[in-house]
Amino acid sequence: MADNILNSPKMAEAAKKRALVIGGSLGGLFAANWLRAIGWDVLVFERVEDDLASRGAGIGTHEELLAVLRRLGLKVDDSIGIQVRTRICLDESGRVTHQLEQPQYMSAWARVYRLLKDVLPSEAYRFGATLARLEQDSGGVTAVFADGATERGDLLIGADGIRSTVRELIAPHVQPAYAGYIAWRGVADEWEFPADTHAELFEKYTFCLPEGEMMLCYPVPGRDNDTRPGRRGYNFVWYRPTDGGRGPLPDLCTDANGHCHGMAIAPPLIRPEVIARIKSEARALLAPQIAGIVERTQPFFQAIFDLESPSLVYGRVTLLGDAAFVARPHVGMGVTKAALDAESLARCIAAADGELDGGLARYDLERRRFGTRIVARARRLGAYLEAQHKPVAKRTAAERRQDPGVVMREIGSNAVDLRELTA
Ligand SMILES: Cc1cc2nc3c(=O)[nH]c(=O)nc-3n(C[C@H](O)[C@H](O)[C@H](O)COP(=O)(O)OP(=O)(O)OC[C@H]3O[C@@H](n4cnc5c(N)ncnc54)[C@H](O)[C@@H]3O)c2cc1C
């Protein structure tokens, strides 16, 4: 397991501690693995009934994410994803206008999930367990689940995502803020690619930058996380402002029966005419090779939000991953941030020599700083898209025009290369 951080003289005492992790996605799994690495007893509670491995889409990785996985003692080899070396930008006629060498592994949510979940004992992970309430006192926290069951722990970790129940219970005033645009996403199968498009761009990270919009596409592991040629997938993320002719969000989130699902809608409920419209707009606005790929997918969308928590620790309850901070996906760092949050939590607790409150205070300081900075960076990278709602005369120069060279260099780059994080 993890490199040795069990060197505290009070680890025997720490080994008796118990953490309740709410949310069994990547943030929760990183937390569980790291806390087990410092000798804690951990229970993960996930509201979904079944294995989550069929969930999710492609994710860009960073060297920092692969390094955390290795420090946990997990095997990270070439099968973690597809290595892309070159980034290109295509204009609407399909011509390459820019090229940049920037190697990166593109992986899949399910690939990282499998790696983290398979090393946890099955009794440490409970599906179909929805947190409803929590109660804390000087000795710890009691979690109360929707079916009335209760569990007691020394620490409760809210790793339950952007709409966190834990955060809603302890800090209801902290809410995500809609950024004014959505990301259409989809994955095409490699074997469906026309040979010429495959040869030209399958192993590249490709950008299309229609006016007011931004699209990126890259290869990812295919079904069953297969990284063998011929069996891989090709993922796209297409950022589009809502309103202004592209359809307001409530309309996009309204199903065929006229029911509006708020700011998100399950992919199977997206109306057929909305899907038909996105495919037709792809043909009108994107490089023809890329529009052809969109055509082969069943696209779905997610609204883009910013979320900043003023504190990550409330007594013996702490927040981690998307429950704590959400940076827009232009930094491609949600999973990396959750991994680093979890490692920091375990290291701060271990270094505090049994003084749990002191360890949590240190975690709060470290990860709040990182979260605030990464949210600010992602906001800057998305400023052009957000500004589409402003009159042109009121936009700054960067809001008026996106520079393909800058976009290609900055989207999803490694944390060590980010001036916002190193300053
Ligand atoms: C368009 C888009 C593109 C992205 N691209 C990338 C990328 O390239 N690279 C990257 O690193 N990240 C990317 N991300 C971000 C990444 O997906 C998230 O940051 C990451 O999944 C966060 O993980 P999490 O575990 O904190 O939260 P989540 O994955 O949201 O998991 C929360 C879990 O908690 C469970 N839950 C919720 N409430 C309860 C409850 N009451 N009781 C029990 N369980 C509960 C949920 O069912 C869920 O399983 C992208 C995001 C978007 C929207």
Side-chain angles (χ1 to χ4, degrees):
M1 212 36 178
D3 61 345
N4 194 8
I5 52 177
L6 298 166
N7 49 9
S8 146
K10 295 195 186 166
M11 277 323 290
E13 185 186 327
K16 294 183 210 129
K17 302 261 187 226
R18 186 175 208 227
L20 309 177
V21 178
I22 309 301
S25 172
L26 300 185
L29 287 173
F30 272 112
N33 280 294
W34 274 109
L35 285 170
R36 280 170 53 81
I38 61 164
W40 279 52
D41 176 26
V42 180
L43 277 177
V44 180
F45 301 92
E46 168 55 50
R47 74 173 165 200
V48 171
E49 301 278 348
D50 299 319
D51 200 71
L52 309 179
S54 59
R55 189 197 261 198
I59 52 164
T61 69
H62 299 85
E63 203 32 59
E64 292 83 354
L65 173 65
L66 307 183
V68 178
L69 291 167
R70 287 192 192 101
R71 285 197 291 276
L72 266 176
L74 299 172
K75 187 171 166 219
V76 178
D77 57 20
D78 279 349
S79 71
I80 192 72
I82 322 282
Q83 195 179 34
V84 293
R85 297 177 190 284
T86 308
R87 294 181 169 204
I88 56 172
C89 185
L90 301 176
D91 68 14
E92 68 277 13
S93 74
R95 193 176 57 94
V96 177
T97 57
H98 298 76
Q99 181 158 335
L100 176 74
E101 297 309 307
Q102 195 158 303
Q104 186 176 13
Y105 275 100
M106 312 314 290
S107 188
W109 184 96
R111 175 72 177 87
V112 182
Y113 172 81
R114 259 298 49 99
L115 203 57
L116 294 164
K117 170 87 173 29
D118 287 352
V119 292
L120 273 190
S122 57
E123 62 275 14
Y125 192 107
R126 293 193 196 156
F127 287 107
T130 303
L131 179 84
R133 283 189 300 116
L134 58 86
E135 290 155 15
Q136 53 174 323
D137 52 51
S138 56
V141 191
T142 302
V144 183
F145 294 89
D147 62 0
T150 59
E151 285 289 348
R152 178 99 180 141
D154 298 282
L155 178 65
L156 182 140
I157 298 167
D160 49 349
I162 187 167
R163 300 281 166 200
S164 167
T165 306
V166 175
R167 197 188 62 238
E168 197 60 42
L169 291 169
I170 55 173
H173 55 285
V174 183
Q175 292 292 334
Y178 178 50
Y181 55 98
I182 60 175
W184 277 96
R185 307 182 76 177
V187 181
D189 289 316
E190 182 176 11
W191 63 80
E192 287 191 336
F193 263 60
D196 51 346
T197 308
H198 188 277
E200 183 190 0
L201 55 78
F202 186 82
E203 289 187 353
K204 298 194 174 80
Y205 194 137
T206 302
F207 291 80
C208 291
L209 301 174
E211 192 178 341
E213 311 193 5
M214 180 191 294
M215 185 191 215
L216 29 129
C217 318
Y218 47 81
V220 291
R223 294 162 199 244
D224 294 327
N225 297 319
D226 209 328
T227 52
R228 288 173 294 174
R231 297 165 188 239
R232 299 169 291 184
Y234 198 74
N235 178 76
F236 73 80
V237 184
W238 183 8
Y239 298 105
R240 312 195 76 202
T242 41
D243 300 317
R246 298 179 185 96
L249 187 55
D251 174 60
L252 296 173
C253 293
T254 298
D255 66 24
N257 295 322
H259 174 65
C260 178
H261 294 257
M263 301 191 82
I265 181 168
L269 298 181
I270 301 175
R271 301 194 311 278
E273 74 263 26
V274 172
I275 302 276
R277 194 166 72 219
I278 191 75
K279 290 186 174 179
S280 130
E281 287 173 351
R283 289 192 292 276
L285 296 170
L286 303 174
Q289 309 91 306
I290 299 297
I293 293 164
V294 175
E295 191 64 46
R296 290 178 160 79
T297 65
Q298 186 59 30
F300 63 97
F301 64 86
Q302 289 166 285
I304 303 302
F305 294 92
D306 299 309
L307 174 76
E308 292 181 88
S309 293
S311 173
L312 301 190
V313 177
Y314 297 81
R316 292 298 176 86
V317 176
T318 182
L319 300 173
L320 177 148
D322 277 12
F325 280 89
V326 174
R328 300 180 194 180
H330 312 300
V331 284
M333 201 167 272
V335 177
T336 305
K337 184 175 74 61
L340 294 168
D341 285 352
E343 180 174 14
S344 161
L345 180 63
R347 287 189 184 278
C348 289
I349 290 173
D353 257 3
E355 302 300 330
L356 185 53
D357 293 335
L360 293 177
R362 178 78 215 164
Y363 165 73
D364 177 57
L365 195 71
E366 272 186 15
R367 299 316 293 166
R368 208 157 23 85
R369 196 171 118 121
F370 184 92
T372 307
R373 288 177 169 202
I374 201 75
V375 168
R377 174 179 170 78
R379 209 177 255 143
R380 179 170 71 71
L381 296 182
Y384 170 76
L385 296 158
E386 190 175 359
Q388 298 305 312
H389 296 280
K390 288 188 195 172
V392 177
K394 295 213 163 145
R395 296 181 200 166
T396 64
E399 289 172 345
R400 272 202 292 273
R401 179 178 173 272
Q402 53 185 346
D403 178 337
V406 173
V407 171
M408 288 169 71
R409 194 176 60 242
E410 296 215 24
I411 294 296
S413 28
N414 277 321
V416 284
D417 300 329
L418 309 186
R419 62 183 160 83
E420 284 94 341
L421 301 184
T422 49

